[in-house]
Amino acid sequence: AQSVTQLDSHVSVSEGTPVLLRCNYSSSYSPSLFWYVQHPNKGLQLLLKYTSAATLVKGINGFEAEFKKSETSFHLTKPSAHMSDAAEYFCVVMSGSSYKLIFGSGTRLLVRP
Amino acid sequence: EAGVTQFPSHSVIEKGQTVTLRCDPISGHDNLYWYRRVMGKEIKFLLHFVKESKQDESGMPNNRFLAERTGGTYSTLKVQPAELEDSGVYFCASSQDGGRSYNEQFFGPGTRLTVL
């Protein structure tokens, strides 16, 4: 069965510094992985997706993630945090038998001025 | 283009009452999903419609939950009778027919349900 583990429930960074949100996955075969973001009072928005093409995936708003099979990781990064990046981020794997999404527990990103 | 909409945004009910949540998917999206996040837990899949048919309802917690999608447009999720542990945020998502490939699931803002 597939699963994802987000290693940090909260991450705090200063504006202009790099962001790293960590995610490890478990899957018996090549997974489809995603990062979603939820801003307050908004729906979940897809940031980026990995579906077995390039291992470095670029998403919206300057975010990117690298699929590392040897480490079973799919960490989300951004070179320079912006105040508007403050939100909750979810690492997600798609179930192999259907289109249902399996979510990690979420990481709340705080950006300090 | 309008996104996925959900109604109500908030609902507060007493234990034992009935509540109906509504989801309007993006026009033309055949796939409709329900998820929920109870306090302190992960967002969990409830069920998946393809048009008006239930494709996968493996995540429905028990028979107090009834989901419908008559006519393959909007969907309702009824909880009857509601229990305290049903409190949480209920999300709806929709996607186009992706065949064998993944099509992005677009999420609504959620309905926050509080059972007292």
Side-chain angles (χ1 to χ4, degrees), chain A residues 18-72:
Chain A
V19 175
L20 170 64
L21 305 183
R22 298 182 295 164
C23 173
N24 287 117
Y25 70 88
S26 174
S27 178
S28 54
Y29 47 84
S30 184
S32 293
L33 291 161
F34 313 87
W35 277 96
Y36 275 81
V37 62
Q38 186 182 23
H39 289 92
N41 301 316
K42 300 283 189 181
L44 293 149
Q45 180 184 21
L46 180 66
L47 272 180
L48 50 80
K49 64 182 179 184
Y50 166 78
T51 54
S52 74
T55 57
L56 182 62
V57 182
K58 293 189 184 298
I60 61 172
N61 300 334
F63 284 94
E64 61 182 37
E66 186 171 8
F67 175 76
K68 291 187 176 180
K69 186 176 180 179
S70 60
E71 299 177 10
T72 62

